[in-house]
Amino acid sequence: MWVTPFFIGSARENEVMQKQELLQKFTELFGDSDGAEVYFAPGRVNLIGEHTDYNGGHVFPCALSVGTYAVARKRSDRVLRFYSLNFEDKGMIDSSLDELKPDPLADWTNYPKGVMWAFEQKGMEIPRGMDLMLYGTIPNGSGLSSSASVEVLMGFILRDFFGFDVSNEELAKIGQFSENQFNGVNCGIMDQFAIAMGKKDQAIFLDTRDLSYQYVPIRLDGVVLIITCSNIKRGLADSKYNERRSECESALGDLQQVIGIESLGDLTEKVFDSYAAAIHDETCRKRARHAVYENQRTIRAVDVLEKKDIDAFGQLMNESHRSLSEDYEVTGDVMDTLVQIQWQCEGVIGSRITGAGFGGCTVSLVKEEYTDLFQKQVSLEYTEKTGLKADFYVVEIGDGPKKL
Ligand code: GLA
């Protein structure tokens, strides 16, 4: 695997260095870099509002400064030549615009190909093939949305290459459509939206019912956001994700027999509690309870954050984790252990699992002066209790996709 050089200096200098390094690597792979352009799309972390986006609820994610870089250039024929510096063992994966169908052997290239397919489904024919090299700085399988990052990135490149008239919001929808229809994961809109619409130092409060949104500046005086990567493999995550989604749909179906709602996001906790008995299956009832309570928690969380009540925000993060553990059952023993360790650390204001679950990362609000101690303590105890090694990232909230 290609190892990232350690970049120091200003963000702008880093970008330039990154760009030259990437072009050089592209030249090694494709002969030269004439006509090649360099692009970037971020990853995302969700602060609160988990498994609410396919239930008509609210989410509160932000784009990260880590993400996926691409070097791409148009070809004169219909050939697609893809290479990832993160999966060098897979080598160059070749196909063509005439073969835009899911193929297990195509491995990670099913993501960019899915987006090409989605453009064509929406009536935007891709006239020429491309050479594409990707390099991701999002830790693998971390639940920080490396796939959505690739999807939005691909859409951004296609728009830039062929002048398609699509907004960033539409790029997000196309990314989600490709993931649902081409790659078979029934995800909501959160990841692609957070990535396509990301803004430096702002989180996005998004209502997934109608995609209305508001940027909320994340100015956390004396407090940092730390992502802890559990490094457990997210086995079967996709099928369990789809299962949760259908459990929620089944709960909604039962509720619609007794109350006129369009989605679980329409319900307050109180109304849900009074109709919950209409949901026949106990598991589905628990899933729906999480979706309803988490949505209301997210609305409250943004409200308290705007009032600068960071402690209340932290409490809501903790409640979110408990609900994901007990009602939604997407955490598992290891992630629960990790969060419990974090809750015990001095200086922690709140901590929870982030993303789809079944492994991945946690996000924690930590008083700045405890940043190092937090990492030391969590690292030690986590390894002691699970035998695994944790990785830490102090969150920098970055912009959406761009050409470098
Ligand atoms: C994954 C999905 C999102 C969202 C989260 C859970 O990241 O892609 O749409 O459902 O899980 O909040």
Side-chain angles (χ1 to χ4, degrees), residues 4 7 10-12 14-15 18 39-45 62-69 135-139 144 149 194-195 198-202 225 227 393-402 404:
T4 356
F7 293 118
S10 72
R12 179 78 197 122
N14 291 346
E15 242 168 42
Q18 189 96 285
Y39 301 86
F40 172 78
R44 71 92 188 93
V45 64
C62 50
L64 295 169
S65 57
V66 289
T68 318
Y69 291 85
Y135 176 57
T137 55
I138 303 170
L144 301 176
S149 177
I195 289 167
K199 234 186 208 166
K200 192 164 173 44
D201 296 331
Q202 321 253 348
L225 274 166
I227 291 174
Y393 304 85
V394 178
V395 172
E396 276 177 56
I397 302 180
D399 278 317
K402 58 188 171 189
L404 302 183

Side-chain angles (χ1 to χ4, degrees), residues 199-212:
K199 234 186 208 166
K200 192 164 173 44
D201 296 331
Q202 321 253 348
I204 308 175
F205 182 41
L206 171 70
D207 184 345
T208 61
R209 254 185 318 196
D210 57 5
L211 294 192
S212 57

Side-chain angles (χ1 to χ4, degrees), residues 5-278:
F6 188 68
F7 293 118
I8 42 171
S10 72
R12 179 78 197 122
E13 273 166 28
N14 291 346
E15 242 168 42
V16 173
M17 285 175 68
Q18 189 96 285
K19 188 173 169 178
Q20 280 160 0
E21 301 254 2
L22 289 166
L23 284 167
Q24 189 191 325
K25 194 71 198 171
F26 185 90
T27 304
E28 282 167 31
L29 290 164
F30 292 96
D32 61 68
S33 62
D34 299 348
E37 303 280 5
V38 184
Y39 301 86
F40 172 78
R44 71 92 188 93
V45 64
N46 189 21
L47 304 181
I48 194 162
E50 219 65 82
H51 291 280
T52 47
D53 65 343
Y54 51 85
N55 283 310
H58 293 75
V59 291
F60 193 45
C62 50
L64 295 169
S65 57
V66 289
T68 318
Y69 291 85
V71 183
R73 87 170 146 207
K74 278 180 261 188
R75 297 177 57 97
S76 51
D77 52 20
R78 294 179 57 78
V79 170
L80 300 170
R81 305 207 74 203
F82 292 164
Y83 190 92
S84 168
L85 296 175
N86 299 85
F87 302 105
E88 294 207 284
D89 53 317
K90 307 278 177 211
M92 190 72 75
I93 302 184
D94 291 347
S95 61
S96 117
L97 285 172
D98 303 313
E99 292 165 16
L100 295 180
K101 42 184 180 306
D103 171 8
L105 294 177
D107 207 73
W108 65 269
T109 68
N110 280 313
Y111 287 97
K113 276 170 72 177
V115 174
M116 293 176 160
W117 170 86
F119 266 76
E120 299 212 325
Q121 292 294 303
K122 308 259 170 210
M124 292 172 278
E125 193 131 332
I126 298 159
R128 293 160 66 179
M130 71 169 71
D131 295 330
L132 177 79
M133 181 192 89
L134 294 188
Y135 176 57
T137 55
I138 303 170
N140 239 339
S142 60
L144 301 176
S145 288
S146 52
S147 52
S149 177
V150 169
E151 288 156 8
V152 172
L153 182 65
M154 188 72 250
F156 190 88
I157 294 170
L158 291 174
R159 177 174 76 187
D160 193 53
F161 275 5
F162 306 116
F164 296 127
D165 183 19
V166 279
S167 64
N168 275 26
E169 199 173 313
E170 281 162 330
L171 289 183
K173 288 187 199 162
I174 292 173
Q176 183 202 15
F177 178 74
S178 75
E179 181 136 358
N180 292 168
Q181 305 294 324
F182 196 90
N183 282 299
V185 181
N186 235 338
C187 67
I189 189 69
M190 169 169 76
D191 303 347
Q192 292 82 2
F193 198 95
I195 289 167
M197 305 295 284
K199 234 186 208 166
K200 192 164 173 44
D201 296 331
Q202 321 253 348
I204 308 175
F205 182 41
L206 171 70
D207 184 345
T208 61
R209 254 185 318 196
D210 57 5
L211 294 192
S212 57
Y213 63 97
Q214 179 198 334
Y215 288 108
V216 180
I218 303 289
R219 268 181 255 99
L220 302 169
D221 288 337
V223 175
V224 290
L225 274 166
I226 302 181
I227 291 174
T228 308
C229 211
S230 68
N231 287 319
I232 50 171
K233 287 271 157 289
R234 300 173 59 226
L236 289 178
D238 291 352
S239 61
K240 286 190 186 154
Y241 183 93
N242 288 346
E243 184 185 287
R244 291 296 177 280
R245 186 165 179 158
S246 40
E247 286 162 348
C248 287
E249 276 159 11
S250 150
L252 176 65
D254 286 350
L255 284 170
Q256 282 171 330
Q257 303 297 314
V258 292
I259 180 171
I261 52 168
E262 267 174 43
S263 65
L264 296 174
D266 292 345
L267 295 172
T268 60
E269 293 105 325
K270 212 170 147 208
V271 176
F272 173 78
D273 288 345
S274 54
Y275 287 98

